[in-house]
Amino acid sequence: MRYIIGVLLAVILASCQGNDKKEAASNVNAPRDSTQLTTVQWLDSSKDFGKIQEGQKLEVAFRFRNTGDKPLVIERVQPSCGCTVAEQPKEPIMPGGEGQIKASFNSEGRVGTNHKTIFVYANMKDARTHPLEFVVQVEKKPS
């Protein structure tokens, strides 16, 4: 009996996760209402952090300003790999307002030059997405 309940629970959880991914994908490809698009000035789009020691976590922030006349809604941020975790503003950025995209890079096992990209999906006039990039040289930790 426990086995059957466990299997049913696993199936239900798996189906919920699949629906979330389908919803997210459909939102990204959904037609955009051009009356709600705005413009963005990226104050930081590219950063070079020089050298860090392997194992160090690097905190990154990219600043922007809503230069349009509609609220800026960041739909999602998508790092290019699992070693970087990004967070987006939860509330819309009003016209004239500023905000930032924060991220954390885990350098463990990433010795060498690392070029990372974070894709920002928002209601921007110029493009559906904007890439934010950073580079860091990770030096092997002493043995």
Side-chain angles (χ1 to χ4, degrees):
M1 182 69 166
R2 287 184 183 171
Y3 175 77
I4 293 172
I5 292 173
V7 169
L8 286 174
L9 185 58
V11 169
I12 290 170
L13 287 174
S15 68
C16 288
Q17 289 174 345
N19 288 339
D20 289 345
K21 290 177 184 173
K22 288 177 189 173
E23 272 184 41
S26 67
N27 287 340
V28 170
N29 297 322
R32 300 186 333 156
D33 180 357
S34 62
T35 65
Q36 297 305 309
L37 300 181
T38 191
T39 55
V40 178
Q41 175 188 15
W42 293 94
L43 305 172
D44 305 308
S45 255
S46 179
K47 293 186 173 197
D48 185 339
F49 288 98
K51 297 177 182 179
I52 65 171
Q53 194 77 232
E54 179 185 12
Q56 181 179 341
K57 288 198 176 174
L58 178 67
E59 300 299 321
V60 181
F62 296 94
R63 300 173 306 130
F64 59 86
R65 179 179 297 121
N66 180 351
T67 55
D69 58 3
K70 302 289 185 208
L72 172 66
V73 178
I74 307 281
E75 297 166 14
R76 71 180 174 116
V77 292
Q78 181 68 48
S80 58
C81 79
C83 61
T84 304
V85 177
E87 63 182 67
Q88 67 196 54
K90 302 213 183 308
E91 299 296 322
I93 307 301
M94 301 316 276
E98 292 187 10
Q100 60 183 339
I101 305 293
K102 294 180 181 179
S104 177
F105 167 71
N106 183 355
S107 68
E108 188 66 43
R110 304 260 177 215
V111 174
T113 303
N114 288 267
H115 296 273
K116 301 299 173 189
T117 305
I118 301 167
F119 298 96
V120 179
Y121 295 84
N123 62 325
M124 301 175 286
K125 284 183 182 179
D126 296 342
R128 177 72 177 188
T129 120
H130 181 81
L132 303 172
E133 301 172 324
F134 69 92
V135 63
V136 62
Q137 179 70 33
V138 178
E139 296 184 330
K140 186 163 182 64
K141 60 183 158 189
S143 304

